[in-house]
Amino acid sequence: MNAFSSLMDGFGTALTPINLLWAAIGVLLGTAIGVLPGIGPAMAVALLLPVTYGLEPTGAFIMFAGIYYGAMFGGSTTSILLNTPGESAAVVAAMEGNPMAKSGRGAQALAAAAIGHFAGGMIGTILLVALAPRVADLAVDIGAPDYFAIMVLAFIAVTSVLGSSRIRGLASLLIGLTLGLVGLDQMTGQQRLTFGSLQLADGIDVVIVAVGLFAIGEALWVAAHLRRTSGQAIPVGRPWLGKQDVRRTWKSWLRGPLIGFPFGAIPAGGAEIPTFLSYVTEKRLSKHKEEWGKGAIEGVAGPESASSASAAGTLVSMLTLGLPTTAVAAVMLAAFQQYGIQPGPLLFERESELVWGLIASLFVGMVLLLALNLPLAPVWAKLLRIPRPYLYAGILFFAAVGAYAVGGEALDLVILLVIGLIGFGMRRYGLPVLPAVIGVILGPNAEQQLRRALQISDGSVSGLVDTPFSVSVYTVVALIVLWPLLRKLGSGVLKSRRSVEK
């Protein structure tokens, strides 16, 4: 009841005209910036930090929250329409959303994503209000072996489900893990795969890898085929969801937050892991398996709902522990410190008005985001009517601008082109792109957690499986790996029984 009354006070703060204005500006800026390839919510919040020096803290953080949610939806827009994620959490949206767009159902994919973001954000924020202290306690108890087990599960799941074969999925993952090794060893300071270049000492930013593999790779692939076939405008389709679409997606919208919120609250990679796991779950449960890879709407609805819920989960650890679990949370933590505020267990007591106003603004931002993006779905979908040579030329331009904005180094553009050529080669030989991006995002963190776990156990491998949580996760991993073999054995036993009966 205390949390409910505090939330009502928060609505009193969030619904003042000036704070409503900041929320609307944040949602608009976030969506617009998220649509640009390579410029995600973290970069948007970082770029706007200096602008907010003159604002009072509550208004500034309400605008940051709007940017966060708006940029997440904007990133899924380019994923769906152009196969070009605006940020890493939107990578999965391209898997089914882009085939839907190519078949003339881009508006339906965007509508499913918008409603998924709304449902996931609302449910996730309700869970944030109700469960923040308990989830924070669970996050404190999770150690290095558990983090590493979760990441192994993500690696196995994504290589097992995507692509035409597990070998190709594993090869793609290894490419990503190799790119993730570039830079200084976080524990020893030794250079790895830098070829003596000081500019590579900080590693390759995940934004450059994602934009290179998706945007540049896709543009080069399309350009190679445009020489043989003339590009034709793709039909936009009707701008609403039919009854059949709603029947197929409402369960996905509700399942997504159950996966996304817990993963957002623990330091395990933010929205990337739950979106992949949601994709895997929806594919397993789908009654339309023949559509997967060709435009299954559940593959958009579930992951987008999980992504939005994970954003609410991220705020649990940041507000209650001062522990940022994503890049956006890290930038927002810097913003708190800019105002002389230290997130942690005492934040809810010392800065009650700010915290509950921020949480209430999440509900307001979700409504604004849905009201803004549902009418705009057919407008965004009309991007597909632009002739493909001009469209992909524009993508190359914005991708280069986004990559250069990351570090302001000319070398970043060279790296972008090289990774784009790798992406083109992966498409040429049938390697799925997603496992490579996962390897870059989670590889360095997985290595760090592995080494921490081994240090704690004095080098004993048993230290990786010394908690009930890690044992449970590795059991799931074993089932995923052995399932095809078990299924073959089961079908062989059934065939032998039938032959005996005959």
Side-chain angles (χ1 to χ4, degrees):
M1 191 66 184
N2 186 36
F4 180 76
S5 61
S6 298
L7 182 62
M8 291 300 101
D9 293 338
F11 274 111
T13 301
L15 292 177
T16 59
I18 186 65
N19 287 335
L20 273 176
L21 175 64
W22 293 130
I25 291 173
V27 167
L28 280 168
L29 283 176
T31 304
I33 292 172
V35 165
L36 299 177
I39 303 180
M43 189 181 298
V45 174
L47 290 173
L48 290 171
L49 262 179
V51 180
T52 61
Y53 285 152
L55 296 181
E56 54 102 13
T58 303
F61 287 107
I62 285 175
M63 186 173 74
F64 286 155
I67 291 170
Y68 190 4
Y69 279 101
M72 291 182 73
F73 179 81
S76 64
T77 299
T78 50
S79 282
I80 290 168
L81 297 181
L82 306 175
N83 200 25
T84 306
E87 49 115 15
S88 57
V91 166
V92 176
M95 304 307 296
E96 301 299 327
N98 190 246
M100 284 184 68
K102 289 180 177 178
S103 63
R105 285 172 49 79
Q108 284 71 45
L110 290 175
I115 297 173
H117 271 286
F118 177 79
M122 282 294 184
I123 296 172
T125 308
I126 291 170
L127 292 173
L128 167 63
V129 173
L131 303 175
R134 186 171 299 176
V135 174
D137 291 339
L138 290 174
V140 171
D141 294 333
I142 292 178
D146 305 318
Y147 295 149
F148 180 68
I150 291 172
M151 292 173 195
V152 170
L153 173 61
F155 291 151
I156 297 298
V158 77
T159 55
S160 298
V161 172
L162 301 175
S164 56
S165 73
R166 291 191 175 196
I167 299 298
R168 286 192 172 100
L170 184 60
S172 176
L173 177 65
L174 290 176
I175 291 173
L177 291 174
T178 303
L179 292 173
L181 286 175
V182 175
L184 295 179
D185 187 320
Q186 295 182 9
M187 291 191 172
T188 66
Q190 184 178 2
Q191 291 192 17
R192 301 187 298 191
L193 302 178
T194 61
F195 304 102
S197 172
L198 292 177
Q199 291 173 312
L200 288 176
D202 291 332
I204 302 174
D205 193 280
V206 67
V207 170
I208 294 177
V209 176
V211 172
L213 289 177
F214 279 94
I216 306 297
E218 179 76 8
L220 293 177
W221 180 250
V222 170
H225 288 77
L226 279 177
R227 291 181 304 172
R228 303 170 194 162
T229 58
S230 59
Q232 297 179 352
I234 302 172
V236 173
R238 55 191 175 86
W240 61 80
L241 292 176
K243 292 181 179 179
Q244 178 66 18
D245 292 328
V246 174
R247 278 197 295 268
R248 289 179 57 176
T249 51
W250 72 270
K251 291 181 181 178
S252 303
W253 288 328
L254 296 180
R255 274 193 293 262
L258 301 179
I259 299 173
F261 182 82
F263 277 94
I266 62 175
E272 288 81 13
I273 294 177
T275 52
F276 306 138
L277 294 182
S278 175
Y279 182 90
V280 172
T281 302
E282 296 303 327
K283 185 171 184 178
R284 297 290 185 195
L285 298 176
S286 177
K287 296 179 181 178
H288 305 273
K289 296 188 184 299
E290 72 283 353
E291 292 186 18
W292 286 81
K294 302 175 183 177
I297 195 168
E298 302 97 317
V300 176
E304 290 302 289
S305 179
S307 174
S308 190
S310 75
T314 294
L315 294 178
V316 173
S317 295
M318 191 195 73
L319 295 175
T320 60
L321 298 174
L323 180 65
T325 60
T326 64
V328 178
V331 176
M332 290 185 72
L333 182 61
F336 271 102
Q337 294 170 347
Q338 166 189 304
Y339 286 102
I341 301 170
Q342 182 57 49
L346 299 178
L347 181 65
F348 282 77
E349 296 179 12
R350 294 176 177 172
E351 300 287 346
S352 177
E353 181 182 351
L354 184 151
V355 172
W356 288 106
L358 172 63
I359 293 173
S361 75
L362 300 179
F363 290 102
V364 176
M366 284 291 103
V367 175
L368 290 174
L369 189 63
L370 187 68
L372 172 70
N373 283 299
L374 271 183
L376 284 178
V379 177
W380 291 124
K382 286 181 181 178
L383 284 172
L384 295 171
R385 293 192 179 276
I386 300 174
R388 283 195 292 177
Y390 301 111
L391 181 62
Y392 282 95
I395 290 174
L396 288 173
F397 172 76
F398 284 113
V401 170
Y404 186 77
V406 171
E409 297 285 346
L411 181 63
D412 291 337
L413 297 177
V414 177
I415 295 172
L416 180 73
L417 178 59
V418 171
I419 293 177
L421 291 172
I422 293 173
F424 174 79
M426 292 172 70
R427 285 169 171 79
R428 170 65 180 82
Y429 294 103
L431 271 65
V433 176
L434 190 54
V437 179
I438 299 304
V440 176
I441 294 171
L442 299 182
N445 200 3
E447 179 195 9
Q448 191 173 18
Q449 299 299 343
L450 171 63
R451 293 166 75 172
R452 283 179 181 171
L454 292 176
Q455 284 179 343
I456 293 170
S457 63
D458 291 328
S460 174
V461 179
S462 62
L464 299 177
V465 289
D466 63 353
T467 65
F469 185 86
S470 61
V471 171
S472 302
V473 174
Y474 284 126
T475 302
V476 175
V477 170
L479 288 175
I480 293 175
V481 172
L482 297 175
W483 175 248
L485 179 61
L486 295 174
R487 188 169 57 183
K488 285 182 181 179
L489 290 174
S491 60
V493 170
L494 287 175
K495 286 181 181 179
S496 61
R497 283 183 180 177
R498 288 173 183 170
S499 61
V500 169
E501 290 174 359
K502 290 180 180 179

